[in-house]
Amino acid sequence: MENKFMLGKFNIAIIGYGYWGPNLVRNFSGLDNCQVAYVCDQRVEQLALVAKHHPSIATTSDYQHVLADTSVNAVAIATPVSTHFTLAMQALAAGKHVWIEKPLTTTSQQASLLIEEAKRRKLILFVDHTFVYTPAVRRIKQLIDLNELGDIYYYDSTRVNLGLFQSDVSVLWDLAVHDLAIMDYLLGLQPSAVSATGIAHVPRAPENMAYLTLFFDRKSPPLIAHVHVNWLSPIKIRRTLIGGSQKMIVYDDLDATEKIKLYDKGIMVANDTESQYQRRVGYRTGDMIAPQLLMTEALHVAAAHFVGCCQTGETPITDGNAGLRVICILEAASESLSRNGYPINL
Amino acid sequence: MENKFMLGKFNIAIIGYGYWGPNLVRNFSGLDNCQVAYVCDQRVEQLALVAKHHPSIATTSDYQHVLADTSVNAVAIATPVSTHFTLAMQALAAGKHVWIEKPLTTTSQQASLLIEEAKRRKLILFVDHTFVYTPAVRRIKQLIDLNELGDIYYYDSTRVNLGLFQSDVSVLWDLAVHDLAIMDYLLGLQPSAVSATGIAHVPRAPENMAYLTLFFDRKSPPLIAHVHVNWLSPIKIRRTLIGGSQKMIVYDDLDATEKIKLYDKGIMVANDTESQYQRRVGYRTGDMIAPQLLMTEALHVAAAHFVGCCQTGETPITDGNAGLRVICILEAASESLSRNGYPINL
Amino acid sequence: MENKFMLGKFNIAIIGYGYWGPNLVRNFSGLDNCQVAYVCDQRVEQLALVAKHHPSIATTSDYQHVLADTSVNAVAIATPVSTHFTLAMQALAAGKHVWIEKPLTTTSQQASLLIEEAKRRKLILFVDHTFVYTPAVRRIKQLIDLNELGDIYYYDSTRVNLGLFQSDVSVLWDLAVHDLAIMDYLLGLQPSAVSATGIAHVPRAPENMAYLTLFFDRKSPPLIAHVHVNWLSPIKIRRTLIGGSQKMIVYDDLDATEKIKLYDKGIMVANDTESQYQRRVGYRTGDMIAPQLLMTEALHVAAAHFVGCCQTGETPITDGNAGLRVICILEAASESLSRNGYPINL
Amino acid sequence: MENKFMLGKFNIAIIGYGYWGPNLVRNFSGLDNCQVAYVCDQRVEQLALVAKHHPSIATTSDYQHVLADTSVNAVAIATPVSTHFTLAMQALAAGKHVWIEKPLTTTSQQASLLIEEAKRRKLILFVDHTFVYTPAVRRIKQLIDLNELGDIYYYDSTRVNLGLFQSDVSVLWDLAVHDLAIMDYLLGLQPSAVSATGIAHVPRAPENMAYLTLFFDRKSPPLIAHVHVNWLSPIKIRRTLIGGSQKMIVYDDLDATEKIKLYDKGIMVANDTESQYQRRVGYRTGDMIAPQLLMTEALHVAAAHFVGCCQTGETPITDGNAGLRVICILEAASESLSRNGYPINL
């Protein structure tokens, strides 16, 4: 069987060919040194689609068959989240590198076990926090690292639209996971506690609206983060405000040409304790700059990064630990949400 | 002294001529049956401004002088909030109707005492929840009353901009008070608990960012409200989403011509408990309508309503009880905020 | 050779596989009763792309081979405009129905010859004025036909962006053709004269900016149309204003969710000749409605319409005559442009 | 009579107290070294308004009385345009400096006579091209003078809204005058010819829509300008695109916070005549910058500039000659419009 795959190419199998699978096939196929060896799905009609559009890719409904093929270097798991752990653990046991769609697993315990197993076997465990690989988020990271913003004061994200109501996970696990992954990458700081609130409008269904506040131990200056997610909004909003002591950013992912706006605005606080409070705070406003961004597709960058890490042993930016950190926050947030905002320490 | 006031006119004295005072003078002067008899302020330079622009209005720095003038029917108090209670109580004791800028008082106890005193003396106690009198909010109220939205699912407001940092009150008491007042008017429901989080970026200063979730006892369908206020945002946002079972509203107060957009969008939930969850939720989208709004100035409407109530004894829409309800929420929110979101029952 | 094509299917050959060719392949392939039999292109690297992505489609660089295949019912010509006439005439001579990308030909004489030839042979000649088949334009047509706008007062379009500078045609023939095609469909009126101005910023190159006014003989009420096209704009604008005696439309093709906004606005003109002019004109403003639009792809609708017309003999909406009418305006506009706006009668 | 005016102050009389008069009173009153001595209007109800809001300003319906008062240094004429010439000529004859609202006069001949008279008497003749004094336009001028844009390629303005239909002048003379004044200031170049088109939708009324192209003799690189004005638009647009060889500007006067956006975008033209045309044009895109603008009121700046010029003899930026240049274009445009775009040399 292996013979049909080109020599020297990195072979990956895509597990699950639903909404996201075609994007994985397209992007991994688009890499020079990589080919998609298999698409595996239990639904024959989905495999028929693969056969039609990608006749050179082998299809199978038998996951064990994929794992038994020694020419397969890695699997990319794009199945319902409840199956992530079992599928990934089997793949690691079979010596495959693993790419998993977000969220990594359904519990932090599962995530820890995967991390441990990957470490022991010296395999790459990668979680697809796609937004981390967008030109916009990478540019914001650059601006933060260059200290353009000064100290970060807050991170505030709104991610709302109409649908798609999920049956197995709440809006926190479906949408807020994006913001937590971006924050994990940009801030490089672990929150110390979380308070979350939310509501389910559909009986016997997970929450479709949620609000999440993250607290951090850093005191000088203090930092706060907030995420607002909603599946039941009449309009689509994808907007993040990042406040800093020097400058502030508005990141609007729906703006076709000016996703990032860097505002030279802020407050100036006089240290003079004698003066009136009102006179202690001054406002500063300057130019706004919308930096030119590359047009690279995030998933292409992520796929190339993953393959590179598999080949060199380098740790990916979004490794299992990044996935775990996000899961821990989601677990705490879910508990807080069920207790109407009661703060949960992390 | 009284003789100089026109017979039959309703005489009002404006107490405090700072940022808002000139608007009060202009609007009360603009009413047919009303005249501004006095402006009272302790700062002589402010009184000089009155004398220059409104030579026909008497000025004084002596509040007792105003209260002693029996031709004065009412006072409008636009002074720092910490002085509201004392000034209002004295005015009621002197038999004057009272208009107070928001927030009504600094504590719910003070608010209750004012309400009681006004009731006992059969005087009008009015809190200037100005937004309640805007054409936009009144139109939303109309749409809700006509059941255009169906059951209300959520109320979600964002009110952020750069400045003005207040020294004596937090952003909750300065900005969130607007949203709580609007909600009090639109929903006509009391929240049962509140969870709030926030942060102060200026040392020894009140919080300049806050997030507030309101819980309601109503279960079928459940209702939630959230308010996001921030004095440290690079951009100004004044946007409220109101979700209903039939339609949803986006109210953008910064949109010059289309402040309200009514979306014929929503979800349809099948009651069939047998069916798959995913199939239980359907999405519905239709036309969007931006209703034509009047251009009336809110403060003009409020002033006319106040004078009318004083003359007829009618209870104002934003009476002392409305002010008290808002204060109660702000007190609970402040406590919750100091405890990182710990839910406080109301 | 013919045997490999399914019996009963309508067979089309795509001529030219550059920017637009892949869209034609995808859309004609997506029709139930149609299949793409050939892609023909003189560039072997383009044919290689077809072989890779559509292995079931025959490729050839020999146009005569395509024409000689009697199983081919129609050709879709997506080559440079200078080749349209010759290729189309040969196809008609070979008994094929013809689909041609806009603009139909480089001269009105060529267009007339094609129309005549198609008529004589009872073949369909179709020009791909794609915008005519968009949900937005079709909805506007519906609103006009329902007399929602009243009498049309003006049509005013802006279509500007950065690039793509064409070498063989001016911005008039590249971009304004879209607006003229839409207008031809919506207004159903022939202009009587045209005045155009423009400029070429690149030496020895066609005009990259142009302004076009169309005059109409209709006097009561008078009608005017204007088109502004520009390849050298820092921002992309695709906005059309349509003024009517009852309502007015703003059609913004870049608005993802509200492409059409119908404004209940206008003027009221008193017929009283005695009254002052200023008092003769009143302004009326009412609600704005953004009607829900289908998400259908225009090219899919156009392809289905073309195939249907080929099979039934029905005249397409965008037949050769529609193409000719647009070409006539473009010819006159080009002449006017070269004479700095000198009006040219049609 | 003169005694009542403060010694040393520059005394100005406002002639005409309609829409714009109150703004003139407020701004001239707001200057340190200036006072409004008179407001003159033939309508007693307008004078009553002055008496109410500005009791210290003398009012009169007798223009000759104002001219006879030797303490009056200047008049500001804000009356219907048909009266400008006569009122201004009388004022100059009386030795007064003259400020006139735009457009300067109804004919270029009148404008020339005023210029000549002012020159002979060494008096200032100022036309209120207000936009020239806005922070936005002044900043654009600065950017052009610093050569940030490189060579100017085009100037393209859209100025449309619903109303106000004028009875005595067409939309060209009412709205396009603003753009011509801004262009006169920014470009510093005289157009060589003009082509204009337009239409009147109200019987026996001036044109309410017009399109205006200006041609310039400069050939390398060529320059073009276009103005689109409309009183019958469902939405308000105030947007100007300025294209340069290096950068391009979008000036949106309705954007509250980012009126000017400077785009680092353009084309690169290879001089290689051998290469294919398509390869000769490259596209360049970089950052966008929205420079911080002052919040100064334009009329305040203009008023201060006028008074300063009167006192020092300096020639104003918007002197009579600037007014004349604009009038000449409007005259030619009116003629071209009546001949459907026939180009008129200047």
Side-chain angles (χ1 to χ4, degrees), chain A residues 170-235:
Chain A
S170 77
V171 71
L172 271 181
W173 289 74
D174 179 52
L175 291 187
V177 62
H178 290 302
D179 299 294
L180 296 176
I182 296 172
M183 249 186 273
D184 183 73
Y185 173 62
L186 291 181
L187 302 182
L189 277 178
Q190 301 307 307
S192 55
V194 57
S195 166
T197 58
I199 198 168
H201 287 105
V202 177
R204 303 176 309 282
E207 289 82 10
N208 55 283
M209 290 179 65
Y211 303 96
L212 181 58
T213 302
L214 301 180
F215 304 98
F216 295 81
D217 275 340
R218 198 185 71 184
K219 288 304 170 207
S220 180
L223 170 66
I224 197 169
H226 188 268
V227 176
H228 167 203
V229 284
N230 185 350
W231 284 330
L232 187 58
S233 165
I235 54 172

Side-chain angles (χ1 to χ4, degrees), chain B residues 99-139:
Chain B
W99 161 299
I100 307 187
E101 288 309 310
K102 63 85 196 166
L104 181 56
T105 53
T106 54
T107 69
S108 54
Q109 193 189 12
Q110 291 176 342
S112 296
L113 290 171
L114 290 183
I115 291 167
E116 197 180 330
E117 184 71 9
K119 187 177 179 188
R120 191 150 49 85
R121 293 180 179 273
K122 298 191 194 311
L123 291 167
I124 297 296
L125 176 62
F126 182 101
V127 58
D128 181 15
H129 290 168
T130 315
F131 276 96
V132 165
Y133 300 96
T134 57
V137 171
R138 292 170 82 90
R139 184 62 178 260

Side-chain angles (χ1 to χ4, degrees), chain D residues 213-234:
Chain D
T213 301
L214 301 180
F215 305 98
F216 295 80
D217 276 338
R218 198 185 72 183
K219 287 305 170 206
S220 181
L223 170 66
I224 197 169
H226 188 268
V227 174
H228 167 201
V229 285
N230 185 351
W231 284 330
L232 188 59
S233 165

Side-chain angles (χ1 to χ4, degrees), chain A residues 160 236-239 251-257 259:
Chain A
V160 308
K236 187 172 185 176
I237 308 176
R238 293 282 184 272
R239 183 156 56 186
Y251 161 37
D252 182 348
D253 201 49
L254 301 184
D255 193 316
T257 55
K259 287 189 193 304

Side-chain angles (χ1 to χ4, degrees), chain C residues 307-337:
Chain C
V307 172
C309 290
C310 292
Q311 292 174 330
T312 64
E314 185 194 346
T315 302
I317 297 174
T318 55
D319 66 352
N321 290 301
L324 172 61
R325 291 192 297 268
V326 167
I327 299 288
C328 287
I329 298 174
L330 288 173
E331 282 181 339
S334 298
E335 185 187 346
S336 176
L337 193 155

